[in-house]
């Protein structure tokens, strides 16, 4: 009877030891992941999606982390293409200012490819796109007094 109890206790001790090693190993992995730099992302824009873009308006992208400016500038594009300058009011803010005039009633897509990196060297998880439409032409919406 003692042999049976000893085997049972030995098996239980082995199971507890295995469980502890798995738990401690998981904690070590979780701690190792927390030291990796977080991927950056665009968290805000001016103008906001859906707002009209003025014909001479600037577009500002706000990132959640300080960025590697050269990598972001290489990853930035505007479609249809238009001449402009990029500036950095802060380490996490990119502003595109057109040096031409946007076309009226035209949709522009501002993109940052996933190759853009934070200052810590982490690349974006996915590309970012912002679609804006420029102001259109004046249209008659109502005539007063109405005919009849």
């Amino acid at each position: 009877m003692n042999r049976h109890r000893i085997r049972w206790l030995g098996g239980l001790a082995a199971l507890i030891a295995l469980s502890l090693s798995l738990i401690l190993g998981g904690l070590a992995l979780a701690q190792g992941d927390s030291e990796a730099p977080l991927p950056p992302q665009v968290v805000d824009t001016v103008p906001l999606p859906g707002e009209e873009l003025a014909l001479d308006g600037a577009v500002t992208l706000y990132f959640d982390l300080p960025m590697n400016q050269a990598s972001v500038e290489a990853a930035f594009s505007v479609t249809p293409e238009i001449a402009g300058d990029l500036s950095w009011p802060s380490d996490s803010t990119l502003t595109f200012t057109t040096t031409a005039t946007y076309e009226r009633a035209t949709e522009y897509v501002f993109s940052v490819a996933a190759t853009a990196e934070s200052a810590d060297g982490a690349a974006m998880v996915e590309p970012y796109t912002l679609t804006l439409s420029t102001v259109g032409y004046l249209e008659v919406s109502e005539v007063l007094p109405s005919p009849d």
Side-chain angles (χ1 to χ4, degrees):
M1 191 102 168
N2 281 342
R3 278 185 174 174
H4 182 64
R5 187 175 288 167
I6 291 173
R7 282 186 189 167
W8 186 84
L9 288 175
L12 182 62
L15 182 62
I16 291 172
L18 178 62
S19 298
L20 283 175
S21 68
L22 289 174
I23 290 170
L24 293 176
L27 288 175
L29 284 176
Q31 288 175 351
D33 288 345
S34 68
E35 294 175 12
L38 295 173
Q41 60 184 349
V42 176
V43 292
D44 198 10
T45 65
V46 172
L48 293 169
E51 286 187 46
E52 283 188 328
L53 176 61
L55 297 179
D56 61 349
V59 175
T60 303
L61 304 177
Y62 297 93
F63 294 88
D64 62 342
L65 298 170
M67 299 300 289
N68 174 323
Q69 295 177 4
S71 74
V72 176
E73 290 175 9
F76 182 83
S77 65
V78 181
T79 306
E81 194 170 309
I82 187 166
D85 295 321
L86 296 173
S87 62
W88 290 88
S90 74
D91 290 342
S92 59
T93 306
L94 172 68
T95 299
F96 173 79
T97 306
T98 182
T99 55
T101 302
Y102 295 109
E103 294 292 323
R104 271 191 190 278
T106 303
E107 187 174 270
Y108 287 88
V109 178
F110 299 85
S111 301
V112 179
T115 56
E117 296 179 349
S118 69
D120 291 338
M124 293 178 63
V125 173
E126 58 187 29
Y128 177 80
T129 59
L130 171 65
T131 303
L132 298 171
S133 296
T134 56
V135 294
Y137 297 97
L138 291 177
E139 297 179 9
V140 176
S141 62
E142 186 176 10
V143 178
L144 292 174
S146 63
D148 296 339

